[in-house]
Amino acid sequence: MDALDRHTVRRRLILRGQVQGVGCRPWVCQQARSLGVRGWVRNTAEGVELLAEGPVDDVAKLVARLPQLPAPGRVDELVDMDADAPGGAPTSDGAFAILPSPTEHSPAPVHALLGADLAVCDTCVAELLDPTNRRWRHPFIHCPQCGPRYTVTRRLPFDRANTSLAEFPLCPRCDAEVHDPHDRRFHDQTQACPDCGPRLSLFLSSGEAVPGDAIAQTWAVLARGGIVALQGVGGFHLCCDARQPEAVARLRQLKRRPTKPLAVMAANVASLHDEVKVSHDEAHWLTSPERPIVLLNQRPHLPASCPGLAPHLHTLGVMLPYTPVHHLLFHEAAGRPTGTDWLRAAQPTLLMMTSGNAPGEPLVIDHDHAWRELAPLADALLLNDRAITARNDDSVLRVRPDGSACWLRRGRGYAPLPLSWPAQHDASSPTVLALGGELKATLCLSTPHVSSGTQVFVSPHVGNLDNAGTRLAFEALAHQWPAWRQVRPTALACDLHPDFYSSRLAAEWAGQADLPLIPVQHHHAHIAAVLAEHAHDPASQQPVIGLALDGHGLGSDGQAWGGELLWVHRDQCQRLGHLHPLPLPGGERAAREPWRLGVALLHTLGRGDEIVTRFADQPGAGLLRAWLAQTQAETTPSSSLTALAYSTSLGRLFDAAAGVLRVLDHSGHEGDAAMRLESLAARCAARRPLPTAPTFSPVPLAGSASSPSARSAPSVLDWRPLMHWLCDHPTSLRAPPSSETQLAHAAAVFHLTLARDLAAWAIEACTQHGIDTVVLNGGCLANRLLDDALTQHLHQAGLQVWRASHYPCGDGGLSLGQAWVAHHRIATPVSPTA
């Protein structure tokens, strides 16, 4: 390169962070040209690289502006490189340029981050609905700041040639915009228009193409009560008019989803106020560029005006349009108004949207599976020719009183964005692939960062690994995820349960590749997942008290756990206590039939003579009572085996309460009984009735303050006083006058007594062990009433409370916790206690 004079400087930098697929290169180019700085910028496997040359002050101004990259971009780090290294000099004409990405393949790990899929931005929506714009009603309108990223990318760096848009050559006008530094689509990698595609096509489920405008014809199908399989960003939706009960009922029947709640899409927040309550924080989440499904409290009349959406529940999942196709359907329903003013007014249309998959199968992402699996469930299929490269289902959350999110499912809008852990120890960080659990499966990849610390990537929600299709999808993702980052795992982590498909897959992989396999106890992983979210807080490296509350997880003693008081320090875990065990007559069947747990509850309370009377409508109640009595009589203290399984699960206690109150005898889906019980409680919990049930009776804790003794007997939080009260409640006895109000009061007292006494249990543990941080996690924390009341009690005691705020509280966060435990166990080998 030419020598620089003493007034000129040349700097070469790598920008790391969210810098690809967010318009970073065009923005840097525009900033440099405005300052008269020469040089270039390009995508690389490291992030975005730039060379800047010019007067010292002007180059300094450019570098100072780089961290101000507009959203959704984010610069986390600026790394100086050798300015005179080979790789390019400023262009001969003196103008700052955007160079092509390097074409040579490097085996080194990829450190560039891939953007998440974002909603179409307001500027693009304005163009979409402007009849004078050449992209009027173009269903694939996007710009550098919006649209799909993860689900159209085949490899990094994020260039059009590496995406599914590569199949659509740009027309002359689009090509001119891409090369015009003054155009807002300058260097847009997802550029498209009606002339250069992609394109929509509507087909009847018989395979016949429907002529005419695809959007207009799709709305016509929906308006007459039809069901449409709609190809979206990260997969398909099954869609119908939410205000037509017959259409909703038919979709439920076809999809074999009798009671599980369905989500709806509204044109805007204004369209929701008559149907659900929307707080300021909830509106913020709804309208964010990520567009998650948000659980909102229903208005009392909604079940009557829109029956079948969320039977027996007080909440409804709601989302706003996030693709051009969604906006166009509402536009068509509104009569094609000109401009965007109509989008600020309430619209009557509500579209029911549910994940497009056959019962038990993974989300459909391609046409072949759509025809095989969705055509039998739909009247028509709205397809397009832009391939989906990765599954990414809608994210689902509820908003806590402090404005944070309690995640039920994390996917579109957020995955695959990583979190980071600070550097630990002198040894290099391991590359851990954690395969999660059996339900709501995700996987997690932790890789050393090029500068320091660790980058941690949690996959989108995959689903339950109880069928062949989802297992194949999960296994493919487990191999694709490391390949995407160009790394090889140095260790594998999984759940302690050896029969989980994810555990078997991890064991097989570890054996074939001769890698260490680290099984992590289920509830330890739940608590560790929250510590992983708080990795930059020094307290995450200190012992914490954890309450792990869920439906099921294999304990280190081989028993079913789920209501656990834990002492956790990085990769170490000690069980301090658990809920009183509850029999599970029929094992997993008991979780699907809450009446069985109601019978088991009465048996445990010594009220077996009430079973036949209370469950007179259940023909098997008498036989079940006799079997429980006989099994218990045949079990001696020295027995090593028993025909009757027991669980300490809080989730099963919820089922038992629902069973004995006769809220629900047979569950239609996972968590059905607990969700109905919560919805009943919510009717009067806002008035905060003081619990009148007896306090739990925990056995005193044992062990030293600094570290619990492995020989300490766990304390047992005895729920029997509460459940005696519940069984004596008039509603439970079906004594007149029994009413919904009485049932709601019983459910509310059950929730609030649980919260009060679980908090007291954790507070006692904190006092004994000199700890001021309590971690709450597990699927039961999806329950708003329990979560809020428990947190309030702990805060009132002056304790710091950590909850999952960026990843699911249920099993969707297990892989993150497993990776955290494995990371620390490898970096600092310690013999864990459990």
Side-chain angles (χ1 to χ4, degrees):
M1 292 185 180
D2 296 336
L4 303 178
D5 64 44
R6 63 188 182 89
H7 300 295
T8 303
V9 67
R10 179 181 296 162
R11 291 188 66 178
R12 194 166 180 173
L13 299 165
I14 288 286
L15 280 62
R16 296 199 178 104
Q18 197 59 51
V19 294
Q20 291 197 18
V22 292
C24 178
R25 290 175 297 169
W27 181 81
V28 170
C29 183
Q30 290 164 348
Q31 298 301 310
R33 290 189 176 191
S34 71
L35 293 168
V37 173
R38 300 172 61 208
W40 48 260
V41 63
R42 64 182 180 180
N43 279 338
T44 73
E46 295 292 323
V48 166
E49 182 184 4
L50 69 92
L51 179 76
E53 178 182 299
V56 173
D57 290 345
D58 293 338
V59 171
K61 288 177 182 178
L62 175 62
V63 173
R65 291 182 186 181
L66 296 177
Q68 302 169 26
L69 176 65
R74 187 189 71 252
V75 176
D76 295 332
E77 185 179 18
L78 294 174
V79 180
D80 272 293
M81 301 176 64
D82 180 1
D84 294 321
T91 55
S92 58
D93 63 2
F96 197 94
I98 297 176
L99 297 186
S101 302
T103 56
E104 66 273 11
H105 175 74
S106 170
V110 172
H111 294 290
L113 301 182
L114 175 58
D117 304 312
L118 299 179
V120 58
C121 67
D122 291 344
T123 304
C124 283
V125 171
E127 292 180 356
L128 176 73
L129 302 177
D130 178 3
T132 66
N133 191 283
R134 74 185 189 91
R135 290 186 174 86
W136 180 62
R137 292 177 60 82
H138 177 54
F140 302 94
I141 186 172
H142 291 298
C143 73
Q145 276 71 49
C146 72
R149 294 295 182 268
Y150 171 63
T151 54
V152 297
T153 301
R154 293 193 169 98
R155 67 190 67 84
L156 287 172
F158 185 76
D159 295 322
R160 191 180 185 91
N162 294 335
T163 73
S164 57
L165 275 300
E167 301 165 15
F168 304 96
L170 295 179
C171 68
R173 286 193 289 181
C174 281
D175 188 66
E177 290 173 345
V178 164
H179 290 92
D180 181 357
H182 304 290
D183 194 284
R184 75 183 196 92
R185 290 190 171 83
F186 177 44
H187 229 73
D188 179 12
Q189 302 304 299
T190 59
Q191 172 81 316
C193 79
D195 293 331
C196 52
R199 290 173 176 80
L200 285 180
S201 300
L202 182 68
F203 297 87
L204 298 179
S205 56
S206 62
E208 179 185 351
V210 179
D213 185 296
I215 293 293
Q217 296 298 332
T218 298
W219 173 246
V221 173
L222 295 171
R224 61 175 178 260
I227 299 169
V228 176
L230 188 156
Q231 184 178 347
V233 172
F236 278 72
H237 281 116
L238 288 168
C239 176
C240 69
D241 184 348
R243 296 194 187 278
Q244 298 195 43
E246 296 82 2
V248 174
R250 187 163 69 93
L251 191 147
R252 282 193 175 281
Q253 181 182 19
L254 289 168
K255 204 177 176 187
R256 302 204 298 272
R257 190 173 178 170
T259 59
K260 194 171 183 179
L262 301 169
V264 300
M265 179 179 285
N268 50 35
V269 173
S271 303
L272 294 170
H273 289 302
D274 289 341
E275 317 299 342
V276 291
K277 301 172 184 176
V278 188
S279 70
H280 173 78
D281 287 330
E282 289 166 339
H284 172 76
W285 283 97
L286 278 170
T287 58
S288 68
E290 294 81 8
R291 291 291 200 278
I293 296 173
V294 180
L295 299 186
L296 303 175
N297 286 328
Q298 299 181 22
R299 302 267 184 204
H301 67 268
L302 181 62
S305 62
C306 293
L309 294 178
H312 312 290
L313 301 184
H314 70 297
T315 59
L316 178 68
V318 176
M319 60 180 157
L320 300 186
Y322 58 86
T323 72
V325 169
H326 297 151
H327 284 282
L328 289 173
L329 287 173
F330 284 103
H331 186 237
E332 192 71 33
R336 295 197 183 188
T338 300
T340 59
D341 288 347
W342 66 279
L343 277 175
R344 289 182 283 276
Q347 302 296 319
T349 302
L350 284 180
L351 296 178
M352 193 287 299
M353 293 274 188
T354 190
S355 300
N357 58 301
E361 294 296 322
L363 186 67
V364 170
I365 62 171
D366 62 69
H367 291 187
D368 287 344
H369 282 85
W371 283 113
R372 286 201 304 270
E373 298 178 17
L374 302 184
L377 310 179
D379 300 298
L381 290 81
L382 183 61
L383 306 178
N384 67 67
D385 51 357
R386 185 182 68 194
I388 299 172
T389 62
R391 285 180 179 83
N392 210 3
D393 212 343
D394 296 317
S395 297
V396 185
L397 60 87
R398 65 170 175 81
V399 182
R400 296 186 176 117
D402 64 1
S404 67
C406 176
W407 292 88
L408 306 183
R409 187 169 74 198
R410 182 178 178 271
R412 180 188 48 76
Y414 302 92
L417 300 181
L419 57 82
S420 66
W421 294 339
Q424 299 289 338
H425 320 291
D426 294 331
S428 61
S429 296
T431 296
V432 176
L433 181 64
L435 298 187
E438 187 79 357
L439 304 179
K440 303 178 178 68
T442 63
L443 58 84
C444 178
L445 179 69
S446 69
T447 65
H449 191 267
V450 67
S451 298
S452 61
T454 300
Q455 282 186 333
V456 186
F457 301 85
V458 177
S459 77
H461 166 87
V462 177
N464 296 344
L465 302 180
D466 54 3
N467 70 84
T470 309
R471 289 177 175 182
L472 287 172
F474 182 78
E475 186 171 355
L477 189 65
H479 289 281
Q480 292 166 0
W481 211 246
W484 169 51
R485 305 303 301 172
Q486 292 186 186
V487 297
R488 292 181 181 273
T490 57
L492 292 161
C494 64
D495 193 271
L496 187 64
H497 201 307
D499 293 331
F500 282 179
Y501 175 77
S502 54
S503 299
R504 298 200 306 270
L505 180 62
E508 180 182 349
W509 192 337
Q512 292 175 347
D514 193 23
L515 296 174
L517 176 65
I518 302 172
V520 181
Q521 198 279 320
H522 192 93
H523 302 95
H524 183 189
H526 272 314
I527 303 303
V530 180
L531 297 180
E533 285 194 27
H534 290 79
H536 289 274
D537 190 319
S540 69
Q541 302 301 319
Q542 302 301 317
V544 299
I545 295 299
L547 276 175
L549 309 171
D550 67 358
H552 174 82
L554 181 67
S556 56
D557 60 358
Q559 300 300 310
W561 292 6
E564 312 306 313
L565 182 70
L566 305 175
W567 176 96
V568 176
H569 184 207
R570 291 197 294 248
D571 65 312
Q572 301 176 68
C573 179
Q574 172 72 34
R575 191 190 198 193
L576 299 180
H578 56 79
L579 294 182
H580 189 282
L582 176 70
L584 300 178
E588 292 184 4
R589 183 178 176 184
R592 300 190 298 269
E593 300 180 15
W595 75 270
R596 288 177 165 269
L597 289 170
V599 169
L601 180 66
L602 290 170
H603 170 79
T604 303
L605 296 176
R607 303 172 68 148
D609 55 343
E610 300 176 21
I611 290 174
V612 174
T613 302
R614 288 175 178 267
F615 295 96
D617 56 340
Q618 291 293 337
L623 290 173
L624 188 56
R625 175 200 175 188
W627 182 80
L628 285 167
Q630 180 181 356
T631 302
Q632 186 176 46
E634 293 175 350
T635 302
T636 65
S638 60
S639 299
S640 59
L641 295 174
T642 175
L644 183 59
Y646 286 82
S647 175
T648 59
S649 164
L650 181 61
R652 297 294 81 82
L653 190 64
F654 267 89
D655 292 340
V660 82
L661 290 174
R662 306 309 299 275
V663 171
L664 183 66
D665 289 337
H666 296 80
S667 293
H669 57 87
E670 182 194 358
D672 194 359
M675 292 164 66
R676 294 196 193 194
L677 200 65
E678 179 193 359
S679 289
L680 281 168
R683 298 183 185 183
C684 66
R687 300 192 292 273
R688 287 292 186 202
L690 293 176
T692 57
T695 300
F696 284 21
S697 305
V699 176
L701 297 169
S704 66
S706 60
S707 179
S709 168
R711 296 183 298 275
S712 301
S715 72
V716 178
L717 194 63
D718 192 350
W719 40 256
R720 288 176 293 184
L722 169 62
M723 303 311 278
H724 270 300
W725 177 90
L726 202 68
C727 289
D728 290 334
H729 192 273
T731 300
S732 173
L733 297 169
R734 290 191 170 180
S738 179
S739 68
E740 285 276 304
T741 301
Q742 287 178 318
L743 189 59
H745 177 264
V749 169
F750 173 74
H751 278 77
L752 297 178
T753 303
L754 275 174
R756 180 192 67 190
D757 294 336
L758 286 168
W761 199 31
I763 291 166
E764 180 186 354
C766 286
T767 300
Q768 175 140 359
H769 295 286
I771 292 173
D772 66 357
T773 301
V774 177
V775 175
L776 306 176
N777 209 17
C780 290
L781 274 303
N783 183 307
R784 185 191 305 264
L785 182 54
L786 178 67
D787 185 24
D788 292 350
L790 185 50
T791 300
Q792 183 178 12
H793 284 300
L794 294 170
H795 278 156
Q796 289 173 346
L799 296 172
Q800 182 172 235
V801 181
W802 285 355
R803 299 174 288 181
S805 297
H806 300 284
Y807 294 87
C809 63
D811 286 4
L814 282 177
S815 63
L816 175 61
Q818 293 167 359
W820 172 266
V821 172
H823 178 87
H824 284 88
R825 195 163 293 173
I826 293 171
T828 309
V830 175
S831 298
T833 57

